[in-house]
Amino acid sequence: MSSPTLARVAEPDDALAAAPHLRRFHERHPEVPLVVLPPERTAAPEPPVPDDVLDAERATTDGTLAALLDAAGAAAVRADVRALWRAGRLDDTVVPVADARVPAGGEGIGAVAGPLTAALERGGWTLRSGRSGAARYLEGERAERSVRVVTVEDLVVVTVRGRALPVTTATQHRLMGVPTEGEA
């Protein structure tokens, strides 16, 4: 009967030497078996996306915000809207962000937030709501994109975040308005 071939495992003392806190634990509690796994392999970075993919994601993000503002009705006419790019959580990624500050004014928060909630529900967003101090929020996710609606006093802030896209460092700097060497 043959045994399966196992990958070469480092000596236990080697693993404990590389992790002094585990070595001390093992010395104090030798009855507890320790399993030290090898470090996770990091995935190769994704290749940068072309400009047309960036443009399409920007258009999707902006279009989502526009559709939500349409659902908000008359109050959205007074909205202060902006679109920008932010750095993603991973190196050399960017995320398109579009947000709007909608003053509720005489209509009241419910007249603005209610239609936004209904539009997100109809659009198939996975929603969750909560409260943080005086602010109430509604968060939605769908297809690697997110929406956050925050209501405070007489203001509704709607933020749409697109998908994180891998780009070159130069493209990231260009999109985020970071001056390159030689620019003042």
Side-chain angles (χ1 to χ4, degrees):
M1 177 176 244
S2 65
S3 64
T5 305
L6 298 175
R8 184 180 173 285
V9 176
E11 292 296 318
D13 292 336
D14 294 344
L16 293 178
H21 60 284
L22 288 178
R23 184 183 71 244
R24 281 191 298 271
F25 180 85
H26 181 65
E27 289 168 355
R28 290 184 179 159
H29 304 281
E31 72 282 2
V32 176
L34 294 177
V35 176
V36 179
L37 300 174
E40 290 185 37
R41 292 185 195 182
T42 56
E46 292 185 47
V49 297
D51 284 347
D52 62 327
V53 173
L54 292 169
D55 294 342
E57 191 62 25
R58 169 90 272 151
T60 299
T61 302
D62 295 348
T64 300
L65 179 62
L68 290 171
L69 292 177
D70 283 345
V77 173
R78 299 183 309 270
D80 176 24
V81 179
R82 67 184 179 143
L84 54 113
W85 290 91
R86 291 201 176 134
R89 293 179 189 228
L90 301 175
D91 289 342
D92 294 333
T93 60
V94 292
V95 177
V97 177
D99 65 21
R101 302 170 77 78
V102 183
E107 292 90 0
I109 291 291
V112 177
L116 289 172
T117 301
L120 290 168
E121 288 172 345
R122 279 191 313 272
W125 294 82
T126 302
L127 301 175
R128 70 182 183 99
S129 62
R131 182 179 208 111
S132 177
R136 296 173 93 25
Y137 64 86
L138 176 67
E139 295 175 327
E141 290 188 25
R142 183 182 75 186
E144 299 179 52
R145 296 176 180 93
S146 67
V147 171
R148 184 172 172 102
V149 178
V150 179
T151 58
V152 180
E153 296 178 12
D154 64 345
L155 182 67
V156 178
V157 180
V158 182
T159 305
V160 179
R161 292 178 59 88
R163 294 180 302 133
L165 302 170
V167 294
T168 64
T169 301
T171 300
Q172 184 182 47
H173 289 179
R174 175 178 54 86
L175 291 172
M176 295 179 60
V178 176
T180 58
E181 198 172 307
E183 291 181 354

